């Protein structure tokens, strides 16, 4: 970017020298040169400050995620509170969905009872609530449990390759019972705005109904009926990003061949180090202590000066057009003043 | 007007070219060109990190010539259950690594002529350091001791050591205050001796100034260090957070309800923090990391990260930027 700008500038300068003879154009051209120099400088300035935070800020604004956490009154103190203090802070919007309203926490009351058989009712009502209240504030709608840990920045990386107008949803893909597969509930799944709209319309038109209390499967069947695509959430090295278990189990455990996991996963399972992407998005069955530990491990712990072998490619949403030179000047003036 | 305009333009071109020269020397093109980087990223994205036999770039090109020899205190019983995993994870990041045991094997382990058991730990330490001094003292300028259940991030240790002089008698680790007036370093969290400190330790035993007066290895070594005038170093980061840890993370990062303080908090030389400020971003070690946990910590340190995230704690921004460019960022 900056090299292109400097190259452009040098060619511009040579061009200008030919035209410099004309007194009338002289002043205008030199002004343009100065503007372009300052545009380059402000670009470099932005780089000097912190190139990375521009990317994170830009993705935060471009890929707006609403996280809703499935919880209940019993878990607020023991589990949900820790979600509130750790990963949910990185979402653009977070809503805690429970069966009862609790203005202190705060949680939204969905008007259901508690219990495993109520899970799909809660999901339906929660998505309807999110659509009614937040359809304009968010582009993507993530469902997570109160024992799921989500690295929202990595979710943004995956989603930045798609637009919220695509009818698509992402998660840990399972294959049985459906044609295109469905997403594991515990590992979390995220719907685009279009997918959410189709979900809500599906219920209005009775295309989708409360078919069963197995929330993730029923969700997957509804998605199939309304024409929402089940996306591939793996990274460019074919490693999974949504995980239905804790990191220890994925990285080190040898699941017995009779375990259901083997027959459920849509994509081939890797055990050991290739199980999990460098830009993993979620882990499930994380307890309260685990929330703080994962927050530390993900957002703090690193090796100084270490160059990561896997470099995730820049997502399409970030490969932005050149910024408007006037914006860059304003930026430079702000920083100087 | 014409001669003046020509002079002005020549001056402008000259200024632009010198600015460009200055900027490109300060900020190499690799960092500056996003479009080039994208192509490189596409290629790199197909390089999957395998755990098999790959030395990392950090071991090959230490940022500031801190060459570390790691020696692991282990025994025949633990080779399969613990030491093997150390060898396959963080052991690869050391420049040299030695496994000290009572029996010579093809692992490879070094035979120390000491029997196993907690009561022989200090004898093992003494013999190990003497062995290293005799055979390996020129291979490194810092000597790290770790257990087979310690997890160490060598790059972060190098970062700390890059600011210190190995010819000075220095001693680093998790500093405890009881028993020794200048403090001693916890054995489990791992400790590092400089080249000079190792020389003085061996000399201390040769001259009889240091003796095997106790079986408590870390405390006894601390006493020898004090006798031989080896200085303990404050290894906390610029925010006062600890880098060496005698327990796994959950002992420190979870704020507990008020309770009688556990022994390790009472022993801490520097005022301990519980909660998020316990531990530096650039930790050096955790202890009681058994077997498969080593792989989990390796994943968290060298793989898992939030995409595009700008870390708040960046102590030496210029140093980090230079390191990244040297390795082709």
């Amino acid at each position: 970017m900056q090299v292109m700008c400097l190259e452009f500038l040098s060619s511009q300068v040579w061009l200008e020298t030919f035209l410099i003879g004309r007194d009338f154009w002289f002043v205008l051209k030199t002004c343009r040169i100065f503007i372009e120099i300052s545009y380059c400088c402000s670009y470099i300035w932005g780089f000097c400050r912190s190139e990375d935070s521009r990317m994170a800020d830009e993705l935060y604004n471009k890929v707006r995620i609403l996280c809703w956490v499935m919880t209940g009154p019993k878990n607020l103190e023991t589990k949900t509170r820790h979600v509130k203090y750790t990963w949910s802070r990185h979402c653009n919007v977070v809503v805690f969905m429970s069966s009862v309203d609790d203005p202190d926490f705060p949680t939204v009351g969905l008007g259901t009872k508690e219990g495993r058989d109520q899970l799909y009712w809660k999901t339906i009502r929660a998505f309807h609530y999110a659509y009614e209240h937040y359809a304009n504030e968010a582009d993507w709608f993530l469902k997570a449990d109160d024992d799921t840990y989500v690295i929202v920045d990595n979710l943004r990386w995956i989603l930045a390759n798609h637009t919220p107008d695509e009818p698509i949803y992402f998660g840990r893909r399972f294959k049985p019972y459906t044609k295109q597969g469905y997403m594991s509930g515990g590992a979390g799944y995220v719907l685009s705005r279009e997918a959410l709209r189709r979900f809500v319309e599906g219920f209005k038109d009775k295309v989708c109904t409360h078919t069963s209390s197995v929330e993730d499967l029923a969700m997957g069947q509804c998605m199939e009926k309304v024409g929402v695509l089940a996306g591939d959430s793996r990274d460019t090295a074919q490693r999974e990003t949504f995980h239905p278990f804790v990191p220890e189990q994925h990285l080190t455990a040898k699941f017995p061949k009779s375990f259901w996991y083997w027959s459920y996963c849509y994509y081939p399972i890797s055990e050991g180090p290739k199980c999990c992407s460098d830009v993993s998005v979620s882990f499930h069955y994380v307890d309260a202590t685990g929330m703080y530990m994962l927050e530390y491990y993900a957002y703090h712990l690193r090796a100084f000066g270490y160059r990561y072998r896997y470099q995730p490619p820049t997502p399409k949403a970030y490969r932005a057009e050149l910024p408007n030179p006037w914006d860059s000047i304003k930026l430079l003036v702000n920083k100087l003043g | 007007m014409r001669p003046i305009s020509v002079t002005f333009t020549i001056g402008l071109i000259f200024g632009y070219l010198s600015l460009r020269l200055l900027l490109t020397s300060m900020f190499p093109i690799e960092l500056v060109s996003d479009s080039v980087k994208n192509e490189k990223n596409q290629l790199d994205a197909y390089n999957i990190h395998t755990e098999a036999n790959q030395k990392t770039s950090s071991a090959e090109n230490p940022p500031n010539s801190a060459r570390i020899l790691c020696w692991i205190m282990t025994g025949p019983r633990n080779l399969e259950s613990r030491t093997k995993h150390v060898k396959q994870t963080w052991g690869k990041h050391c420049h040299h690594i030695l496994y000290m045991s009572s029996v010579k094997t093809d692992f490879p382990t070094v035979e120390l002529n000491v029997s196993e058991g907690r009561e022989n730990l200090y004898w093992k330490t003494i013999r190990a350091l003497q062995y290293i001094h005799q055979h390996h003292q020129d291979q490194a300028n810092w000597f790290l001791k770790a257990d087979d259940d310690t997890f160490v991030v060598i790059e972060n240790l190098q970062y700390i050591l890059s600011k210190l002089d190995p010819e000075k008698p220095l001693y680093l680790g998790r500093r405890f205050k009881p028993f020794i007036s200048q403090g001693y370093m916890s054995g489990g969290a791992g400790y590092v001796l400089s080249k000079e400190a190792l020389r003085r330790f061996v000399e201390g035993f040769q001259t009889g100034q240091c003796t095997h007066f106790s079986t408590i290895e870390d405390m006894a070594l601390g006493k020898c260090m004090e006798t031989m005038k080896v200085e303990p170093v404050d290894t906390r980061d610029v925010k006062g957070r600890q880098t060496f840890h005698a327990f796994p993370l959950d002992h420190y990062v979870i704020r507990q309800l008020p309770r009688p303080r556990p022994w390790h908090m009472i022993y801490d030389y520097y005022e301990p923090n519980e909660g998020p400020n316990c531990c530096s971003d650039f930790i050096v070690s955790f202890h009681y990391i058994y077997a498969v946990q080593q792989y989990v910590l390796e994943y968290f340190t060298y793989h898992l990260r939030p995409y595009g995230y700008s870390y708040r704690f960046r102590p030496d921004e210029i140093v980090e930027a230079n390191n990244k460019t040297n390795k082709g960022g």
Side-chain angles (χ1 to χ4, degrees):
Chain A
M1 191 62 61
Q2 284 86 340
V3 163
M4 271 157 52
C5 137
L6 292 171
E7 296 289 2
F8 165 74
L9 189 57
S10 67
S11 66
Q12 281 296 93
V13 169
W14 284 116
L15 187 64
E16 300 322 323
T17 54
F18 288 113
L19 301 170
I20 226 80
R22 293 190 201 164
D23 300 340
F24 178 65
W25 288 107
F26 175 68
V27 170
L28 249 94
K29 295 296 182 201
T30 45
C31 283
R32 244 185 85 192
I33 290 167
F34 276 117
I35 287 169
E36 270 143 8
I37 288 175
S38 66
Y39 149 70
C40 284
C41 285
S42 66
Y43 220 106
I44 294 163
W45 182 287
F47 160 73
C48 294
R49 279 284 316 283
S50 49
E51 190 174 36
D52 288 347
S53 88
R54 269 192 322 153
M55 159 114 54
D57 294 343
E58 186 155 337
L59 280 181
Y60 185 86
N61 292 322
K62 280 200 158 142
V63 186
R64 297 172 304 167
I65 302 181
L66 177 145
C67 309
W68 72 263
V69 181
M70 171 99 85
T71 184
K74 272 191 315 172
N75 289 347
L76 291 185
E77 275 304 301
T78 49
K79 293 190 184 185
T80 327
R81 189 162 65 105
H82 308 295
V83 167
K84 183 176 169 189
Y85 296 145
T86 54
W87 63 264
S88 63
R89 297 175 305 151
H90 302 269
C91 305
N92 297 68
V93 182
V94 63
V95 188
F96 296 97
M97 305 289 192
S98 171
S99 50
V100 261
D101 249 337
D102 182 340
D104 294 323
F105 192 85
T107 62
V108 167
L110 296 170
T112 62
K113 294 195 280 284
E114 282 300 319
R116 258 192 105 71
D117 52 324
Q118 298 292 308
L119 280 179
Y120 194 38
W121 278 120
K122 279 172 113 171
T123 307
I124 297 165
R125 300 249 173 103
F127 274 120
H128 278 76
Y129 180 92
Y131 187 68
E132 267 165 61
H133 293 86
Y134 295 102
N136 295 324
E137 283 179 48
D139 306 313
W140 299 87
F141 300 84
L142 168 78
K143 176 262 177 184
D145 287 344
D146 49 23
D147 55 356
T148 307
Y149 185 88
V150 180
I151 301 173
V152 185
D153 298 84
N154 290 341
L155 181 58
R156 289 201 179 95
W157 174 75
I158 294 178
L159 299 179
N161 283 310
H162 300 267
T163 65
D165 301 318
E166 284 175 49
I168 196 168
Y169 77 126
F170 292 97
R172 171 59 89 114
R173 206 163 165 186
F174 285 164
K175 64 180 183 233
Y177 312 124
T178 49
K179 278 199 285 290
Q180 69 166 0
Y182 67 95
M183 302 306 175
S184 156
Y189 50 81
V190 57
L191 271 62
S192 66
R193 192 169 40 227
E194 176 60 21
L196 178 63
R197 192 192 64 80
R198 291 193 188 193
F199 180 76
V200 171
E201 296 293 310
F203 272 85
K204 224 194 302 185
D205 303 335
K206 303 274 191 284
V207 173
C208 290
T209 54
H210 183 278
T211 46
S212 94
S213 64
V214 182
E215 167 246 337
D216 41 14
L217 175 58
M219 185 75 189
Q221 285 166 338
C222 175
M223 290 283 107
E224 209 167 60
K225 281 192 207 137
V226 297
V228 173
L229 194 65
D232 181 357
S233 58
R234 294 177 302 168
D235 68 13
T236 51
Q238 316 307 315
R239 292 176 304 191
E240 295 274 9
T241 52
F242 288 77
H243 303 287
F245 300 109
V246 284
E248 286 80 16
Q249 284 184 287
H250 284 286
L251 286 163
T252 61
K254 292 234 173 293
F255 299 114
K257 291 294 176 189
S258 55
F259 191 45
W260 60 264
Y261 184 60
W262 288 100
S263 52
Y264 267 49
C265 282
Y266 192 91
Y267 301 109
I269 295 179
S270 290
E271 279 178 320
K274 292 193 197 152
C275 69
C276 313
S277 174
D278 284 17
V279 287
S280 285
V281 173
S282 71
F283 295 102
H284 189 212
Y285 298 122
V286 178
D287 61 3
T289 312
M291 291 286 170
Y292 296 102
M293 307 225 327
L294 276 173
E295 182 86 358
Y296 173 80
Y297 286 137
Y299 287 95
H300 293 269
L301 177 63
R302 56 201 188 278
F304 183 83
Y306 181 73
R307 185 190 157 222
Y308 297 104
R309 286 163 194 264
Y310 176 68
Q311 298 291 341
T314 315
K316 291 186 200 140
Y318 185 65
R319 274 177 228 156
E321 325 74 35
L322 275 182
N324 189 334
W326 295 110
D327 286 344
S328 310
I329 292 164
K330 274 189 253 165
L331 192 74
L332 184 66
V333 166
N334 282 340
K335 283 182 180 148
L336 288 174
Chain B
M1 194 69 170
R2 194 158 293 218
I4 296 170
S5 66
V6 168
T7 320
F8 179 85
T9 317
I10 291 170
L12 194 69
I13 294 166
F14 180 73
Y16 158 72
L17 288 172
S18 47
L19 181 74
R20 182 182 177 170
L21 196 67
L22 188 70
L23 285 172
T24 51
S25 60
M26 274 168 62
F27 300 105
I29 300 294
E30 289 92 356
L31 279 178
V32 167
S33 168
D34 270 350
S35 53
V36 172
K37 218 172 22 164
N38 281 342
E39 301 314 309
K40 204 165 174 305
N41 287 345
Q42 303 285 2
L43 288 171
D44 281 354
Y46 293 97
N47 296 334
I48 305 166
H49 171 66
T50 55
E51 296 299 333
N53 344 291
Q54 277 178 359
K55 267 214 161 131
T56 60
S57 54
S58 60
E60 287 150 18
N61 292 319
N64 284 293
S65 73
R67 286 171 302 138
I68 304 175
L69 183 143
C70 310
W71 66 272
I72 312 292
M73 177 90 87
T74 184
R77 264 185 334 161
N78 290 344
L79 289 184
E80 267 304 299
S81 53
R82 295 189 192 177
T83 327
K84 183 173 78 160
H85 306 297
V86 167
K87 185 175 177 189
Q88 285 173 354
T89 54
W90 65 265
K92 292 193 205 160
H93 296 252
C94 298
H95 300 103
H96 298 282
I97 184 158
L98 296 170
Y99 303 94
M100 302 296 190
S101 174
S102 51
V103 191
K104 186 174 158 72
T105 62
D106 288 331
F107 187 83
T109 56
V110 169
E111 184 180 348
L112 288 178
N113 208 10
V114 177
S115 8
E116 290 298 323
R118 243 191 121 70
E119 63 280 5
N120 290 323
L121 274 180
Y122 194 36
W123 279 122
K124 272 177 120 172
T125 308
I126 296 165
R127 297 275 172 262
L129 289 172
Q130 285 169 338
Y131 174 88
I132 290 169
H133 183 258
Q134 198 177 358
H135 295 102
H136 296 278
Q137 77 164 301
D138 294 321
Q139 283 180 351
N141 42 22
W142 297 93
F143 303 90
L144 164 75
K145 176 259 180 185
D147 287 345
D148 48 28
D149 55 359
T150 308
F151 178 81
V152 179
V153 184
I154 296 288
E155 289 79 7
N156 294 342
L157 181 58
Q158 275 174 333
Y159 172 61
I160 295 177
L161 296 179
S162 65
K163 304 185 170 134
L164 302 170
D165 180 5
E167 298 302 327
K168 290 216 179 88
L170 298 171
Y171 165 49
L172 293 85
R174 177 67 174 234
R175 201 165 170 186
F176 283 165
K177 61 179 185 247
F179 316 126
I180 316 286
S181 54
Q182 74 168 8
Y184 67 96
M185 304 305 176
S186 156
Y191 50 77
V192 186
L193 269 62
S194 68
K195 202 167 186 153
E196 178 60 23
L198 176 67
R199 250 183 248 138
R200 290 196 186 190
F201 179 84
V202 171
E203 185 194 317
F205 272 86
Q206 277 169 348
T207 58
Q209 288 173 286
C210 292
T211 58
H212 182 279
F213 70 96
S214 158
T215 56
I216 305 175
E217 169 241 342
D218 42 14
M219 191 268 291
L221 190 115
K223 183 77 189 161
C224 182
M225 293 287 105
E226 192 180 55
T227 314
M228 302 307 295
K229 306 232 184 324
V230 175
E231 272 173 51
V233 174
D234 179 0
T235 49
R236 294 175 302 166
D237 69 12
V238 293
K239 281 190 158 181
R241 299 179 302 192
Q242 293 276 7
T243 51
F244 287 79
H245 301 279
F247 284 97
L249 179 69
D250 50 349
H251 275 68
Y252 299 99
V253 83
I254 311 292
R255 237 184 238 134
Q256 308 276 10
L257 293 169
R259 76 229 192 265
R261 293 219 286 193
W263 70 265
H264 62 89
M265 286 180 80
I266 301 172
Y267 273 31
D268 265 330
Y269 189 91
Y270 304 105
E271 185 59 35
N273 284 320
E274 212 173 34
N277 276 329
C278 66
C279 315
S280 178
D281 285 16
F282 300 124
I283 59 109
V284 173
S285 70
F286 285 118
H287 188 212
Y288 297 121
I289 309 298
Y290 297 116
V292 292
Q293 278 290 317
Q294 302 272 359
Y295 298 104
V296 179
L297 277 178
E298 181 168 55
Y299 173 73
F300 288 138
T301 314
Y302 297 102
H303 294 271
L304 183 68
R305 60 205 186 272
Y307 181 78
Y309 181 71
S310 158
Y311 295 103
R312 287 163 194 263
F313 181 65
R314 300 144 82 110
D316 287 348
E317 279 193 62
I318 308 292
V319 176
E320 234 177 354
N322 282 343
N323 282 343
K324 279 193 193 132
T325 59
N326 289 340
K327 288 160 192 172

